[in-house]
Amino acid sequence: MTSCRSSGGPALLRVAIVGLGPWGLCALERLLSAVRSGARANPGLVVHLIEPGPPGSGIYDVAQPDYLLLNNACDELSLYPFEDEARQPRYGKGFYDWLAAQRCCWDPDECCATGGRPVQPDDFVARRLMGEYLQWFYRELVADAPAGVELVHHATLGVDLVPRRDGTEELRLADGRTVLADHVAPYPVDPYADSLGDGATVAVAGMGLVAVDVVFALTAGRGGQFVGNGGALAYRPSGREPTIHLLSRSGLPYTSKPPTRPALAPVVCTPEALAGVSRSPSIDFRREVLPLLVREMSARYYAQAAAQAGVAPDAATAAEQLRTAHSEGRFEHELDRLAARLGPFDPEAMFFGRATAHDSPDDYERFAYDAIAADVREAQVPNGGSPVKAAAGVFRIFRDPIRSIVEYGRLSLEGYLDFRGEIGTRISRLVAGPPASRMRQLLALMDAGVVRLRHGPAPALRRSVKNRGRIRVSSTLIAKPVVDDVDLLIRGYLEDPRIDASTSALLTRLYRRGRVNQLWYGAVSVGSIDVTPDAHPVDREGRPQERLWVLGPVTEGTRYFTHYIPSAKRGMRGFEDIGACVKAILS
C-alpha cells in the first residue's frame, strides 16, 4: 500500500495497493471503510490498484475446474468483518449468503456446481465460486466508494520501488508507467490434466491439500468419475489416468479438516499459562508449549467422549470438571478416571504418529488406507461430535496463541528450525487437510488401483541410471524394499517463501538494494522476509522501513499460517493487521 500527499491545495492522499487478491481486497475494504467513517478529515483520496488479472480473485481463478475445492466450509468465509455496523453496504455478505442469493447448487459426490441440491452452510465447494464471490465483492466495493475517492486500476505488475528525496516512493510498473506514493504494501495444478501423456507414471511428493489437488487434476481432470456404489463410493476410470504414487516424508496421511465446533473455554492452555511461556526470551516450542497443547488435546477428547457416552450432559460441563481438576492439581487423576471408563487416548501418538514397522509395500499401503478410512469415519460422526476431531481441533482453536509465541524471532534458532521443519507440518496434518469428502474419493482412487502408496516414510529420489530421463523412487524404511521409476515427479506441497529467491521482480529488487532483508537468528539467516509486528519490512541495516507494509503469505516464516483468506468468520487477525496499517497511513 502506498500513499502520497499533493504539494498544493487541499491535502490529497494517494495510495497504491500492489496485488489485489484476497489480502489486497481486504486492504481496499478497510481503507474505504475508514474514510467513510471519518478517520480522515479531508476525504480526498486516490487509490491505485496494481493487479494484472481480474481484481479480487487472485489465485481463485474463476476458470478453475469444479474438482478443485476449498478446504473451508463456505459458511466460515466472509470478507466483510463488521456485520453489526449500522450501515450495511451491499457487499456486506458472507460467502454462503452470497452463494444462497445466487441460488448456487452443489453436488458433493460429483464435485459439480452446475447441478445437485442447493448449497448448504457446511459444504466445501469449488474454489472458482470463491473467485466469483471475490470479484463480485470488488465490483460492489468500487460502486460503493465514498465521495471524494478515486480508484484507478492498473492492469500490470509492480516491478520496482524507489525512494525519492522528498520522502515519497516511486512505484514503477511493468508497462513503463510510475505511481508516486508515501506508503507501500506489496502482497496453478489443473494444467496437469492436459499436459501429461496417457499411460504415464507419476510421483506426487506430499499428501496434503496441494498433493490431493494434483491427484484430482490427473484423475477427475482427465475424465474419470466418482459414482455411488451402495453406501460406498467407486471411481470409474476414463482410461487416461497415469499411475500415481503418493510420497510422504513422515509416512502419515493428512487427516480431513475437522468440523467447526462450539468454542469451549481453555482447560490447560489458559491465557495465564501461555503468557508465562511468552515471557521467555528464547522459546523452545517442543519443550515449553507442545506439552500444554497435548494436555489440552486430552481434555477436549474426554470432554467430547463424556458427552457422547452420556457420562456428562454436554462437552462444556465435562470440560468445566476437567478445568476444576486442573486448577486443584488432580488433572492426571481425572484423565485416568475417564480413560478407565471411556477408553484410552494417546495425544502424542495422534500428533507425532505411532512408530510402526512395515514389512512390505503392501503392508504400508494397508496401513495408510486404514488410517485414511478411520479418519473419514471420525469426520462423519453426526454434528461434528467425534472426540478424535475435537482433540485435533486444538491446533486450530489455539492458532492465534501459537502465532504469538512463534512469530517475529521469539523462538530459539533450534526451536525455529524444529517448528518449521516438523512441528508445523504435524499441526497442518491435523487441521489443514482436505475435506472429508475428498479423502473419501481418495480411498476410491486407491480401490481402483489408480493411486498407490507403496514407498513408506522418507522415500529416496534420484535420477534413474537404467531408464534415462526418469526418476527412481526407492523405499528406505520398509523391510522388503520397493523401487519404481516414474516419468514425472510433482512437488505437491508449499514451501516457505524465500526473499533471496523470490519470483517477484518487485521484492527481488528491494532485496538487492537492501530495503528488505531476511529474518536472522544471530549469524544465521532463514530466508523469510523480516518484518516488524506492525508489518514494516526491516532493511539490511536493521531499520524498519516505515513507509512500507508487507502482508499476507509472503511473510510466512517470520509469521505463521498466512496462507488463508482473511475472513470475519474465521478470526479477525487479517482485518486487524490491515486496519492498523490503514490507521497509520490516514493519521
Side-chain angles (χ1 to χ4, degrees), residues 214-227:
V214 172
V215 167
F216 281 83
L218 295 171
T219 52
R222 292 170 73 88
Q225 293 181 311
F226 294 94
V227 295

Side-chain angles (χ1 to χ4, degrees), residues 365-380:
E365 192 162 44
R366 281 192 298 272
F367 158 79
Y369 185 98
D370 290 345
I372 296 170
D375 174 71
V376 169
R377 288 193 295 272
E378 294 292 342
Q380 293 175 333

Side-chain angles (χ1 to χ4, degrees), residues 383-513:
N383 302 316
S386 162
V388 170
K389 288 299 183 182
V394 162
F395 294 95
R396 177 183 56 81
I397 294 165
F398 290 90
R399 187 174 291 152
D400 279 343
I402 291 172
R403 285 175 172 140
S404 70
I405 289 168
V406 305
E407 292 184 334
Y408 305 114
R410 294 190 180 101
L411 298 175
S412 65
L413 173 60
E414 294 76 13
Y416 176 91
L417 297 175
D418 182 35
F419 186 85
R420 304 306 308 188
E422 182 176 14
I423 299 294
T425 301
R426 306 289 182 174
I427 293 174
S428 294
R429 186 182 78 85
L430 291 178
V431 296
S437 60
R438 178 108 301 171
M439 299 305 281
R440 186 166 171 253
Q441 292 169 333
L442 181 61
L443 292 174
L445 290 170
M446 295 178 69
D447 289 334
V450 175
V451 171
R452 305 299 309 272
L453 281 80
R454 300 167 30 89
H455 298 90
L461 302 171
R462 62 183 176 85
R463 292 285 179 184
S464 174
V465 176
K466 181 179 179 181
N467 297 306
R468 293 187 178 277
R470 305 188 83 201
I471 305 294
R472 175 150 292 186
V473 184
S474 307
S475 62
T476 61
L477 296 173
I478 294 179
K480 182 181 178 181
V482 60
V483 175
D484 286 294
D485 286 349
V486 301
D487 300 298
L488 180 65
L489 173 66
I490 301 172
R491 190 186 72 188
Y493 54 89
L494 297 175
E495 291 184 330
D496 285 352
R498 293 188 61 91
I499 191 64
D500 58 342
S502 174
T503 58
S504 163
L506 175 58
L507 288 175
T508 296
R509 289 188 172 101
L510 289 172
Y511 177 66
R512 288 174 179 170
R513 287 204 300 273

Side-chain angles (χ1 to χ4, degrees), residues 33 90 101 160 164 308 322 344 370 378 427 454 492 550 583:
S33 291
R90 289 174 54 185
D160 203 0
R164 292 159 51 93
Q308 197 174 52
L322 283 162
D370 290 345
E378 294 292 342
I427 293 174
R454 300 167 30 89
V550 184
K583 181 179 179 181

Side-chain angles (χ1 to χ4, degrees), residues 48 54 101 120 155 300 480 517:
H48 296 278
Q120 302 298 310
R300 303 278 169 144
K480 182 181 178 181
N517 199 22

Side-chain angles (χ1 to χ4, degrees), residues 505-559:
L506 175 58
L507 288 175
T508 296
R509 289 188 172 101
L510 289 172
Y511 177 66
R512 288 174 179 170
R513 287 204 300 273
R515 295 200 69 193
V516 300
N517 199 22
Q518 300 181 59
L519 175 66
W520 288 75
Y521 280 83
V524 180
S525 64
V526 294
S528 304
I529 188 170
D530 191 4
V531 294
T532 66
D534 49 1
H536 295 302
V538 177
D539 71 11
R540 194 171 294 157
E541 304 301 321
R543 299 168 302 198
Q545 295 289 288
E546 295 185 352
R547 295 183 181 274
L548 310 185
W549 282 266
V550 184
L551 299 160
V554 73
T555 65
E556 186 70 23
T558 300
R559 305 192 75 175

